Amino acid sequence: MCGIVGLFLKDKALEPQLGALLTDMLITMTDRGPDSAGIAIYGNTAEGRSKLTVQSDEGDAVFGDLAEKLGAAIGAGVGLTRKDSHAVLDLPADKLSEARAALATVAPGVRVMSSGETLEIYKEVGLPRDVAARFEVSKMQGSHGIGHTRMATESAVTTMGAHPFNTGPDQCLVHNGSLSNHNALRRKLRRDGVHIETQNDTEVGAAYLTWKMQQGATLGEALEGALKDLDGFFTFVVGTEDGFGVVRDPIACKPAVMAETDQYVAFGSEYRALVNLPGIEDARVWEPEPATVYFWKH
Amino acid sequence: MQTFDLAAEGLRKLNETLHAQAGSTNQTLWEVVNPRGSHAIAVGLDAPIEVTVKGSTGYYCAGMNKQATVHVQGSAGPGVAENMMSGTVVVEGDASQYAGATGRGGTLIIKGNASSRCGISMKGIDIIVHGNIGHMSAFMAQSGNLVVCGDAGEALGDSLYEARLFVRGSVKSLGADCIEKEMRPEHLTLLAELLERGGCDARPEEFKRYGSARQLYTFKPDNAY
């Protein structure tokens, strides 16, 4: 099944509550996916700085001197904020790809969860309540975010198999469904130089959108392309640095509910996920149409 | 009027309480508060009671209903009134996928729009939708009536058997073996009764009727066992 949620704030006054609101939505979707959970938050960042969110099961053995080692490797100051099995590395924006490449030698066991100026992704195996608590997601601020509770149908139940998937700077995607042509598409994208790490179908969907946007498509155009080039069942919720999009396949078996008020746009696999949002009683609530791209931008 | 707080007492207690009204209850009016999109609200009822749900529901509200009238004062999630046998279900808002699927009797009234697969495999239920319906509605429908005051999505009535489909607005496309049929006096009479039952502000003359062309292999004697 899987459960997906998303919240795109229009009202800055709600930004301090973003993590708390998303956590509540995520936990409500636990019985759609208790295998793993993940959340992507678009928060604040300093001018000219970018972030790499990384994961390691080794804890301080790896994170203890990671900032110094990475800083030395790229010749720049690197900051590190640890959160349980994850750490956010803060570094100059123009060193982002260099730092990511250097990580492979500086700390080979470390896995990259996300990269970008504002995006941070936290994901782990376990119940959504536990995952959200480990990373104190409810205390996080931001302008928008998406989340996922996984009931695994494609690939293993591992940290890397959890959603959201980040395949380009500040881009991420969560998925409910299953893609049937992901193996062929993965081969094609890899031939075109797209970095894909796992056997998971959703990562291919995310990488496809990144690839389209690298070719100059807007997110909206990339989502239109997904309707043509992806086979299978999917409801996607995607985030970019300043945008939030939703698309369902033409068959639209997978459930989806949206709500919009003056303060926010919200997405849930079920209406239950939305019931604690402020002003939901007066929100415009609707079911997104099949094969129709919905997109909002700050 | 009995009030049941779903948030305080839970789903199992709600359905146990409503099931216990079977037979000759005097407690015929029930109100369910705090539904908050919960699943399986008021399923399997079998008594002439009236249940009003004060808000929106999740999956399978009022499924397998017999005799009861269930009124949802909000929107309904997937599978509302699925496999209904008799009674009435009214949804004030929109209904999600497969509303009234496999229903064998009774009436489902949706005052907003219904999503895809409305009335899929319906087997005698009457479904009356004030708004639009989505794609693949009435797929493999076998009997009963589907009335749509708005528009219908793609592949309406695909592989239809004997059900009657009445649509006032546009039909995006007809499914396999579904054709437009003439509206005879008996259909106008039937539709007038359905529109009145559904509280619709529409005239039977404004609708077109669709049904099975009976040309698929399932209708050929050569294919019989």
Side-chain angles (χ1 to χ4, degrees):
Chain A
M1 273 201 298
C2 296
I4 46 183
V5 297
L7 187 59
F8 177 81
L9 299 179
K10 302 181 197 173
D11 181 357
K12 283 191 175 298
L14 278 181
E15 290 190 359
Q17 295 178 54
L18 180 75
L21 292 168
L22 268 174
T23 298
D24 181 79
M25 295 165 79
L26 195 74
I27 291 171
T28 308
M29 289 293 95
T30 299
D31 54 8
R32 295 192 66 87
D35 291 340
S36 66
I39 202 150
I41 297 253
Y42 290 86
N44 298 323
T45 189
E47 184 73 28
R49 307 287 287 179
S50 280
K51 297 188 250 193
L52 270 178
T53 309
V54 296
Q55 189 269 0
S56 169
D57 298 327
E58 307 296 320
D60 275 337
V62 168
F63 293 145
D65 57 356
L66 182 58
E68 291 75 21
K69 282 159 82 175
L70 188 63
I74 63 170
V78 173
L80 183 146
T81 309
R82 171 134 183 233
K83 272 194 189 176
D84 198 83
S85 62
H86 288 42
V88 180
L89 296 161
D90 169 77
L91 43 91
D94 58 358
K95 296 278 187 183
L96 188 61
S97 51
E98 195 184 332
R100 184 161 185 166
L103 263 183
T105 46
V106 169
V110 158
R111 302 151 174 152
V112 176
M113 301 286 102
S114 68
S115 73
E117 286 182 25
T118 60
L119 175 65
E120 294 174 24
I121 289 180
Y122 299 90
K123 57 185 186 182
E124 278 296 0
V125 172
L127 288 174
R129 181 183 298 281
D130 300 336
V131 173
R134 283 174 69 174
F135 302 115
E136 297 183 313
V137 176
S138 60
K139 292 182 183 167
M140 294 183 73
Q141 305 196 8
S143 56
H144 55 301
I146 63 178
H148 186 267
T149 64
R150 184 171 187 222
M151 187 174 281
T153 54
E154 303 283 337
S155 84
V157 178
T158 60
T159 304
M160 292 305 283
H163 306 205
F165 282 96
N166 161 249
T167 50
D170 287 309
Q171 294 164 15
C172 66
L173 177 145
V174 290
H175 170 210
N176 178 22
S178 59
L179 303 179
S180 50
N181 65 338
H182 64 101
N183 284 325
L185 196 54
R186 184 184 294 104
R187 285 193 294 272
K188 173 184 160 47
L189 290 171
R190 278 181 173 159
R191 276 200 302 275
D192 285 355
V194 180
H195 178 76
I196 299 176
E197 296 198 29
T198 72
Q199 292 303 305
N200 187 282
D201 60 334
T202 304
E203 189 183 11
V204 175
Y208 171 85
L209 296 178
T210 301
W211 175 73
K212 288 293 270 190
M213 286 188 277
Q214 281 169 355
Q215 295 178 324
T218 62
L219 176 59
E221 289 162 352
L223 291 170
E224 293 282 358
L227 286 168
K228 190 163 60 70
D229 292 333
L230 300 182
D231 272 346
F233 298 119
F234 55 90
T235 296
F236 286 154
V237 178
V238 301
T240 64
E241 187 180 355
D242 57 357
F244 175 77
V246 172
V247 69
R248 301 169 84 196
D249 69 84
I251 309 287
C253 287
K254 297 299 175 185
V257 181
M258 302 205 66
E260 184 168 15
T261 71
D262 291 341
Q263 289 188 292
Y264 58 80
V265 178
F267 177 96
S269 289
E270 300 176 27
Y271 177 73
R272 278 189 303 156
L274 312 179
V275 293
N276 288 334
L277 291 173
I280 189 70
E281 304 78 18
D282 302 317
R284 182 172 80 93
V285 177
W286 78 100
E287 188 170 311
E289 295 282 328
T292 304
V293 173
Y294 296 81
F295 186 62
W296 289 263
K297 212 163 181 248
H298 275 131
Chain B
M1 172 79 76
Q2 312 284 312
T3 297
F4 189 99
D5 185 345
L6 191 61
E9 300 194 73
L11 180 72
R12 187 174 292 262
K13 181 81 184 298
L14 169 69
N15 285 330
E16 277 176 1
T17 304
L18 296 176
H19 293 170
Q21 307 308 314
S24 54
T25 181
N26 289 323
Q27 299 172 325
T28 58
L29 294 180
W30 290 82
E31 186 179 75
V32 180
V33 298
N34 287 318
R36 298 166 63 81
S38 301
H39 300 167
I41 291 173
V43 295
L45 304 190
D46 188 6
I49 58 175
E50 288 183 34
V51 179
T52 299
V53 183
K54 309 285 278 184
S56 294
T57 67
Y59 281 74
Y60 306 127
C61 178
M64 302 179 284
N65 187 51
K66 277 185 185 172
Q67 302 190 68
T69 297
V70 179
H71 201 126
V72 179
Q73 291 187 336
S75 290
V80 64
E82 189 166 279
N83 209 55
M84 180 154 66
M85 306 303 283
S86 64
T88 302
V89 175
V90 182
V91 180
E92 287 293 327
D94 297 334
S96 187
Q97 309 175 81
Y98 43 97
T102 75
R104 289 173 179 269
T107 308
L108 168 62
I109 299 163
I110 297 161
K111 295 198 175 172
N113 301 312
S115 176
S116 59
R117 307 174 190 88
C118 180
I120 189 168
S121 198
M122 54 194 276
K123 299 179 175 77
I125 189 174
D126 292 330
I127 303 174
I128 302 155
V129 183
H130 287 217
N132 308 322
I133 60 170
H135 63 267
M136 293 299 283
S137 289
F139 172 55
M140 291 185 79
Q142 290 162 48
S143 67
N145 302 292
L146 172 62
V147 178
V148 184
C149 296
D151 303 331
E154 290 174 354
L156 176 70
D158 191 272
S159 305
L160 192 66
Y161 289 77
E162 302 297 330
R164 287 175 289 262
L165 317 180
F166 300 99
V167 182
R168 181 163 68 163
S170 65
V171 174
K172 202 161 185 184
S173 65
L174 292 173
D177 208 36
C178 182
I179 55 169
E180 186 181 338
K181 293 189 159 181
E182 66 169 328
M183 191 77 97
R184 297 196 298 268
E186 67 263 34
H187 300 121
L188 291 169
T189 306
L190 168 69
L191 184 51
E193 188 275 317
L194 289 163
L195 290 168
E196 189 181 352
R197 208 189 318 159
C200 299
D201 183 19
R203 292 183 299 115
E205 296 76 18
E206 297 166 348
F207 288 75
K208 288 179 177 171
R209 180 169 74 100
Y210 302 88
S212 172
R214 302 190 179 95
Q215 295 300 312
L216 286 185
Y217 76 98
T218 42
F219 290 94
K220 308 282 189 206
D222 295 348
N223 292 318
Y225 286 107

